[in-house]
Amino acid sequence: MFRINILFILWVVFAWNIQAQTNEQRAKDMLRFTIEGQRDSIYTRSNQQIRDNVSPAVFSNTFQMLESQFGKYQSNGEWNTDSTSGTTIYYTDLQFEKFLLRFMAAFDEDGLANTIQLIPVSPVKSNEPSTQNTDVMEEKEIEIISGKYKLPGILSLPKGITHPPVVILVHGSGANDRDETLGPNKPFRDLAWGLSKLGIAVVRYDKRAYVYRTSEASPDFDEETVNDALSAIKMLKTNPEVNGERIYVAGHSLGASMAPRIAEFAGDDLAGIIMISGNARPLEDLIVEQMEYLSTFMNVNQVSEKQIEDLKKQAANVKAIGATAFDESIGVPLNVPLRYWEFSNKYKQVETAKKLKLPVLILQGERDYQVTMDDFRIWHTALSANPNVSFKSYPKLNHILQEGEGKSIPSEYEKASPVPDYVMKDIANWIERQN
């Protein structure tokens, strides 16, 4: 009886310590236990799902196996956090002699681990920071008037060139500023400065959803993206500082998939379009694919698995809009107005692009997990017979054109890495060939 009481007291003390710790402390403990092969300590601090699916023996020799493959363990970096599907991930990078691995852990509300994972790190290449060379370019504040909306922006101009060709940068989904800022990265600013150095003017502007931030401002793709790009084209046609006969639209992500529609409405006012990481497949399918991709290296808990299943039902529900099979109780992804998804169902970007006669350049990062090489292959299959369409993919680039190795992961976006110069050179060379 005395022994049972002692065990009970020890368990209470252990449970209290689990609750008293912060999640970062718990993650550090899990890493230490993993390094030392303390399988019982890991097992007792894991939730029931991990206990049911992972044998304690797995944790006994994990590190010995890693060292036999990657060389001796040397050190770990700073602890950081990432978030997906409402779950906070605590991670640190482990340096082995031959490789870099990321240790990841996440916890339920009761402090028990629901994720213990080691994945290859996708090192982001640290290129030289993007700079504005005022000797060869200048920038001027502009304003895009689109119906009742006023969107502030910037016109980047190369110096010493009269009436240069001009590129309008069109954003991806969401409330993006003129630079399409994501963490410390500003891919639109990098493109603008890089192209201006190569003799091409660039317009970038704050997106309507960024300036006004109301659902009324962007109820569908036309209002979110297309109409403002058309207004920018109209403005440039009468701007004496650029060549109104050589206006190009360069869309990224959603902006790329909308570029064929922009070209369809712009007609002869547009000289060509550049599609960067543009989805060829329906948006709802990409959302599900992204969630499933992230789950492959996260050991998601049961709640996250349910979220994926719910998302699949919502994606299927999108395809049933307008039919009796549509179930209002299931809802639609992203909690956006139904009109948004109705538009998405009707718009066929690949078919629209096939009808275009103007030059098209399609660029894709091969490490992009948001818009993948599957989309690039669809574009290529549909448009490669058209002599006006050019294609290029980049093995090292992710969705926002950062260089790296291996699988792309969301935390890459938190590291400053500008768009490499060769992307701007490819765009500039292609524009020059259209002259």
Side-chain angles (χ1 to χ4, degrees):
M1 187 70 175
F2 179 75
R3 178 174 174 171
I4 293 175
N5 287 339
I6 289 293
L7 290 175
F8 176 74
I9 291 171
L10 289 174
W11 172 252
V12 169
V13 171
F14 165 74
W16 183 87
N17 284 336
I18 283 287
Q19 291 297 328
Q21 284 184 307
T22 65
N23 280 345
E24 184 173 318
Q25 290 172 327
R26 295 181 184 116
K28 290 177 179 178
D29 282 346
M30 284 301 204
L31 173 59
R32 178 168 56 85
F33 297 146
T34 301
I35 293 173
E36 296 174 356
Q38 296 186 33
R39 65 181 192 180
D40 292 338
S41 296
I42 297 173
Y43 193 73
T44 55
R45 288 166 171 79
S46 300
N47 69 5
Q48 194 61 48
Q49 186 186 15
I50 292 181
R51 295 182 193 179
D52 290 343
N53 291 285
V54 182
S55 168
V58 171
F59 301 116
S60 297
N61 58 357
T62 297
F63 236 70
Q64 291 89 330
M65 292 176 60
L66 292 173
E67 287 187 320
S68 67
Q69 185 175 359
F70 301 122
K72 293 293 291 183
Y73 167 65
Q74 297 176 337
S75 63
N76 70 280
E78 295 182 0
W79 284 88
N80 295 285
T81 61
D82 201 354
S83 181
T84 184
S85 306
T87 299
T88 299
I89 306 294
Y90 296 82
Y91 69 90
T92 182
D93 293 340
L94 312 182
Q95 183 64 63
F96 292 79
E97 285 180 332
K98 303 176 184 177
F99 208 71
L100 198 64
L101 292 177
R102 177 158 295 170
F103 177 85
M104 306 168 67
F107 303 89
D108 292 334
E109 291 183 359
D110 58 7
L112 294 176
N114 59 52
T115 299
I116 307 167
Q117 187 79 3
L118 280 157
I119 65 169
V121 173
S122 305
V124 172
K125 183 176 179 181
S126 181
N127 295 314
E128 287 296 319
S130 184
T131 57
Q132 180 184 4
N133 187 340
T134 55
D135 292 335
V136 298
M137 64 167 292
E138 61 179 327
E139 293 195 313
K140 298 182 178 181
E141 295 287 335
I142 59 171
E143 188 174 64
I144 308 295
I145 307 297
S146 184
K148 65 180 181 179
Y149 299 104
K150 297 180 180 180
L151 309 176
I154 293 177
L155 172 61
S156 302
L157 286 165
K159 289 183 177 179
I161 298 177
T162 304
H163 300 129
V166 58
V167 170
I168 302 167
L169 298 177
V170 180
H171 322 72
S173 58
N176 290 296
D177 66 10
R178 67 192 66 183
D179 295 327
E180 209 179 40
T181 300
L182 184 56
N185 297 288
K186 297 178 178 292
F188 274 15
R189 182 204 60 187
D190 296 344
L191 288 168
W193 289 358
L195 288 172
S196 294
K197 294 175 186 176
L198 298 172
I200 296 169
V202 179
V203 164
R204 64 194 198 274
Y205 53 89
D206 293 334
K207 196 174 176 182
R208 185 186 299 190
Y210 178 83
V211 178
Y212 293 91
R213 297 183 182 273
T214 65
S215 58
E216 295 178 359
S218 305
D220 57 37
F221 293 146
D222 277 349
E223 293 296 326
E224 179 181 359
T225 299
V226 176
N227 293 347
D228 298 338
L230 292 171
S231 296
I233 294 169
K234 183 179 179 181
M235 179 202 72
L236 290 172
K237 289 295 290 184
T238 58
N239 188 314
E241 295 183 289
V242 301
N243 188 338
E245 302 301 316
R246 300 182 68 192
I247 301 174
Y248 295 85
V249 158
H252 175 239
S253 197
L254 175 65
S257 68
M258 289 295 113
R261 185 171 178 86
I262 295 169
E264 183 180 44
F265 288 143
D268 293 338
D269 287 344
L270 203 56
I273 59 174
I274 301 150
M275 300 165 61
I276 305 170
S277 307
N279 61 292
R281 295 170 293 163
L283 181 60
E284 67 271 15
D285 294 344
L286 265 66
I287 294 172
V288 172
E289 185 178 272
Q290 289 172 25
M291 183 74 77
E292 290 180 324
Y293 172 85
L294 294 175
S295 75
T296 62
F297 56 82
M298 283 186 52
N299 278 351
V300 293
N301 57 23
Q302 290 177 333
V303 174
S304 296
E305 289 173 352
K306 183 179 183 301
Q307 288 175 339
I308 292 175
E309 290 305 312
D310 289 345
L311 185 59
K312 288 181 178 179
K313 292 177 182 178
Q314 291 177 338
N317 208 31
V318 166
K319 300 181 190 302
I321 291 175
T324 55
F326 179 76
D327 188 342
E328 190 172 342
S329 65
I330 293 176
V332 291
L334 304 181
N335 197 31
V336 296
L338 190 62
R339 177 179 164 185
Y340 194 92
W341 291 109
E342 289 174 336
F343 186 106
S344 178
N345 273 351
K346 293 176 183 177
Y347 176 57
K348 308 298 180 186
Q349 55 267 45
V350 176
E351 294 305 313
T352 303
K354 287 171 70 173
K355 299 174 185 176
L356 299 177
K357 305 298 182 184
L358 82 178
V360 178
L361 174 63
I362 299 178
L363 305 177
Q364 176 69 40
E366 294 182 18
R367 297 177 57 253
D368 188 344
Y369 72 84
Q370 294 180 252
V371 177
T372 73
M373 288 297 289
D374 288 342
D375 295 274
F376 185 73
R377 283 185 281 269
I378 292 171
W379 288 117
H380 194 275
T381 298
L383 302 176
S384 59
N386 186 336
N388 290 332
V389 182
S390 302
F391 304 85
K392 185 154 190 178
S393 66
Y394 300 96
K396 294 184 177 182
L397 300 189
N398 65 11
H399 189 64
I400 62 169
L401 306 179
Q402 291 177 296
E403 283 192 335
E405 301 289 343
K407 277 189 172 185
S408 176
I409 54 179
S411 57
E412 286 183 355
Y413 302 155
E414 299 170 9
K415 298 180 180 179
S417 180
V419 179
D421 287 341
Y422 55 76
V423 175
M424 280 73 88
K425 289 178 181 177
D426 286 342
I427 294 173
N429 290 337
W430 177 81
I431 288 175
E432 184 58 31
R433 290 198 299 272
Q434 313 312 315
N435 189 16

